[in-house]
Each structure stands twice: as C-alpha cells, then as structure tokens.
DNA sequence: CTTGACTCCGTACCTAGCTACGGACACTAG
DNA sequence: CTAGTGTCCGTAGCTAGGTACGGAGTCAAG
C-alpha cells in the first residue's frame, strides 16, 4: 500500500503520514527496491487512526508513542510494560474523573436553567469546579 | 490584587496572565488610576485555575472561552445558554466514553500481562481500539 | 534619593503538530 | 514519447499556547 492510500483510508493528508513517520509513530518503510516508494501494511492505517483518536482524547504525540510501545516489542519484559500501562491507566482514570466533574456541573447548569428568565444566576460551572479545585493543583 | 499575586495563586507565570487577558479569557482590568497597574479580583484566580484545569482535560482555549461564557452575561437568554451547555455536555460525555474505552483496554492489558513471559502477545490496546473504531471517524 | 522589586508594553522566540511548496523522479495511459 | 498522476525530499510557513527580552515607569524601604 502506498502513502496516498494509507492517508486516504486513515482520513489524513499524505504529509501527515510523512510527519508521523519522521516522529517515529509509524513504521519506517524505506523501500528503495520498489522505485523508492514507501510501502505500508494495513497495520499502519490502524496505527494512524489510533493516533488521531488518542489525540482527540487529549494525549500528545509523545504520550501516544508511549501507548503504542506498550504492545510493541516482543523482547520487552512484561513487568515493564505493566508498569507503563498502569501509569497510563492512572492518568486516564484521573482524566475521566475530572471530566465527570465538568459533566455534572454542566448537567446542573442545564437543570437549573429551565429555559425561562435570565441566565445570570443559574450557571454554576466555575463554582462547581472551584469547590473541588481549591487546593488540588499539582 | 496585582498581576504577580494572581499568577502565584493560580500557579502560572505573569506572562501567562497577560496572554489570557489578550485572549479575552479573563477580565480586562486596565486601571490607569492606580499608577497604571492592573488590578484583579480573586475571581480571576479561579478563572485562571479553571482554564488550566480545562486544558488538562483536552479543551482548547477557544472551547474554554465558550465554557466560561456559559455563566457570564446576565443579559443572555437562558435558552441559548442551555443549548451551548448541552452541546458541551455531549462533547464531554463523548470524551468520557472514549477514555473509558482506553481505560478498559489498559485494564485488559494489565490483567492479561501477569508479569511473566514476553509482552508481545498480551497487549491488545490497538486491537481493542481498532474494533470500536473501524468506521466511526468523523 | 537611590536601590530593588514589581509592573508596563511590544516584540521576538519557542514547541507541538501539522500543511504547503517546489523541483525531481517513477509509473501508467494514450 | 508525452502527459498526468503520484511520489520523493527538504525546507518553509502556519496556528495554538505560551515564554522570554528589553527598556521604561512605579513605588516602598532604607
């Protein structure tokens, strides 16, 4: 599969694939044999899709690389992998919990704001977060 | 309260406060009366903290501005606020659901990888996401 | 009335994550 | 053989979100 096809299937531009390749996020398929063109497996399409998905969820490319290496190397010791996975899991759980805070603040806002009157007194987003937040910054 | 105090209490740099001010994320407190120094209320500290918190959760500054304006204007009609809040709520729920996907993939990984043997065959992160993901990109 | 801490402002610079440009090959169809 | 399309590569440019710099003004303490 050539670069254009991968890009299309993954829903990104060709340049993005080249960019990810330089970043080491996807396989380096230098194939001077075939006219010098890159040749990818369908695996790469999945990888690229995973990258985009993870980005939407707030992971940086560096973090995504970590996520990806969790499954990568057959040589790697399982204990090491577990450790990294556990750390990522903690991050993810933390993120979910904090989003849940925002979620309930928004739900409050929507419930209390029944659609009549002015909005001023019924929008406790900041308040809701303030109280949880006060001394909890890292 | 002057800019340095706000910055310290919110745990950011002075330049960041000025940057947020330019972006319209916090009040514009031009006070030529008091020697030309900015003067902030403690409200601003909360706002800045909220901005940082929301950023960690994957919101852009533009999105955060939207979140913040949900509680802002006493003139705004409640119905409009509700609409925006509902849209944000949908985004948030969606994010949580997708993070939950990653969470369970990581939990699987950790469970299946009992700490012995090689890591190659027990790391279904990509697989777990692939199956959910196949045709669901926006 | 000098010193030091703080602030002012504009501008420049930085990282992350792309995105576009441009000239040179390759490969296919006509 | 000539287009046309796709690819190669390096480099430049772009947006977001800061971060740093430098020269000048403010102000309280000594």
């Amino acid at each position: 599969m050539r670069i254009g096809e991968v890009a299309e299937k993954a829903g990104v531009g060709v340049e993005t694939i080249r960019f990810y390749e330089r970043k080491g996020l996807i396989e380096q398929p230098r194939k001077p044999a075939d006219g010098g063109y890159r040749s990818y497996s369908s695996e790469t399409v999945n990888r690229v899709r995973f990258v985009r998905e993870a980005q939407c969820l707030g992971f940086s490319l560096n973090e995504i690389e970590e996520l990806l290496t969790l499954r990568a190397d057959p040589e790697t010791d399982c204990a090491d992998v577990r450790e990294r996975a556990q750390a990522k899991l903690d991050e993810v759980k933390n993120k979910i919990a904090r989003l849940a805070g925002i979620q309930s603040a928004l739900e409050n806002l929507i419930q209390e704001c029944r659609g009549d009157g002015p909005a001023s007194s019924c929008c406790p987003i900041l308040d809701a977060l303030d109280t949880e937040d006060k001394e909890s910054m890292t």
Side-chain angles (χ1 to χ4, degrees), chain A:
Chain A
M1 205 187 306
R2 294 205 311 202
I3 195 170
E5 194 181 347
V6 173
E8 197 196 347
K9 284 186 177 167
V12 304
V14 166
E15 306 293 335
T16 303
I17 304 289
R18 295 213 309 123
F19 176 73
Y20 287 170
E21 192 182 312
R22 262 174 285 167
K23 286 274 166 178
L25 286 167
I26 57 177
E27 43 180 332
Q28 248 90 354
R30 191 86 180 79
K31 302 264 179 179
D34 179 29
Y37 291 173
R38 291 168 179 83
S39 173
Y40 296 97
S41 67
S42 59
E43 166 74 8
T44 307
V45 177
N46 291 334
R47 252 182 120 92
V48 173
R49 286 209 258 229
F50 176 77
V51 171
R52 304 306 289 212
E53 173 73 4
Q55 274 187 300
C56 290
L57 299 173
F59 294 101
S60 71
L61 292 187
N62 285 343
E63 290 173 323
I64 292 165
E65 199 178 353
E66 283 180 49
L67 280 173
L68 284 167
T69 54
L70 285 178
R71 49 103 67 169
D73 191 347
E75 304 292 300
T76 312
D77 186 48
C78 218
D80 179 44
V81 173
R82 280 195 58 180
E83 209 169 300
R84 293 155 163 278
Q86 187 63 56
K88 277 294 156 203
L89 179 56
D90 292 345
E91 282 174 35
V92 168
K93 280 183 171 172
N94 197 279
K95 249 178 202 179
I96 290 175
R98 303 203 284 180
L99 280 169
I102 290 205
Q103 178 182 345
S104 63
L106 285 169
E107 278 166 350
N108 282 347
L109 170 57
I110 289 166
Q111 281 231 328
E112 289 176 27
C113 239
R114 271 288 166 197
D116 43 14
S120 55
S121 56
C122 61
C123 301
I125 294 181
L126 266 183
D127 311 350
L129 277 145
D130 286 350
T131 52
E132 293 171 30
D133 233 13
K134 275 267 147 59
E135 307 300 333
S136 71
M137 291 299 283
T138 327

